[in-house]
Amino acid sequence: WSGGVVRIALPMTRVAAAESHARNALLALTAIGLVITLVAGGLLARSLSHPIRELRDVAERLSEGDLDARISVTSPGEFAQLGSQVNRMTDHLARTVRTVETQRQQVEQQTLQWRAARARTRSLEKLGERQAEKERERLRAELQRIANLVEEAL
């Protein structure tokens, strides 16, 4: 048989009950989907916010001068790469600070040595001035004695 039509008759109460059941099932599935989405979103937000908080905490410690602060890199991904970069940057900064501190100490030691040498030079200059003054006085006395001898001889 070709091109026929089949017609089924159902009572409207049964159709309304099936429609109501389908609507309730759809609402239940939508609510379950919404709960799953909220839970998954919360877990995702938490998994993203933890590395960000750790980065913030380490950055704060670094800004306070704690060059031993490091980010724990435990998982692959962009946050781990960022953490590794921050740790490398901190290592470089710590080495630079140590180098600068060593150089500062060397400059301080050289400054102390220079000041001591300058003080010795000034002392020697004063000693030289006193000895020169004594020698001038001795020469004046000698010249006076010779002048007196010459005057007596004339």
Side-chain angles (χ1 to χ4, degrees):
W1 91 315
S2 67
V5 175
V6 175
R7 190 172 179 189
I8 300 175
L10 292 173
M12 284 304 285
T13 56
R14 194 168 169 196
V15 172
E19 181 184 357
S20 175
H21 178 66
R23 188 178 326 115
N24 289 341
L26 182 61
L27 286 174
L29 288 174
T30 301
I32 290 171
L34 182 60
V35 168
I36 290 172
T37 302
L38 289 174
V39 169
L43 291 174
L44 179 62
R46 186 174 180 193
S47 71
L48 291 176
S49 67
H50 175 72
I52 292 172
R53 276 195 306 271
E54 185 179 6
L55 282 168
R56 181 201 61 211
D57 293 345
V58 167
E60 185 175 332
R61 287 175 55 197
L62 290 171
S63 72
E64 293 169 352
D66 180 5
L67 297 179
D68 294 325
R70 295 293 182 278
I71 295 169
S72 61
V73 179
T74 57
S75 62
E78 292 175 348
F79 285 119
Q81 290 173 354
L82 179 60
S84 293
Q85 290 293 348
V86 168
N87 288 343
R88 279 196 290 281
M89 177 185 67
T90 303
D91 290 339
H92 179 72
L93 180 61
R95 281 192 305 276
T96 301
V97 167
R98 282 192 301 272
T99 300
V100 168
E101 179 60 23
T102 299
Q103 291 173 345
R104 184 196 64 77
Q105 289 173 354
Q106 290 171 346
V107 167
E108 188 175 308
Q109 289 173 350
Q110 290 171 350
T111 300
L112 290 173
Q113 291 171 353
W114 177 80
R115 286 181 179 164
R118 191 172 114 198
R120 283 193 304 273
T121 301
R122 285 185 177 170
S123 295
L124 290 174
E125 286 172 353
K126 288 181 183 180
L127 178 63
E129 289 172 8
R130 281 182 282 200
Q131 287 178 342
E133 184 60 33
K134 285 181 183 178
E135 186 62 22
R136 279 192 293 270
E137 287 299 320
R138 188 188 68 71
L139 288 174
R140 278 190 205 114
E142 184 66 21
L143 286 174
Q144 186 60 44
R145 187 183 67 76
I146 292 172
N148 289 341
L149 285 174
V150 168
E151 194 175 304
E152 285 177 13
L154 292 174

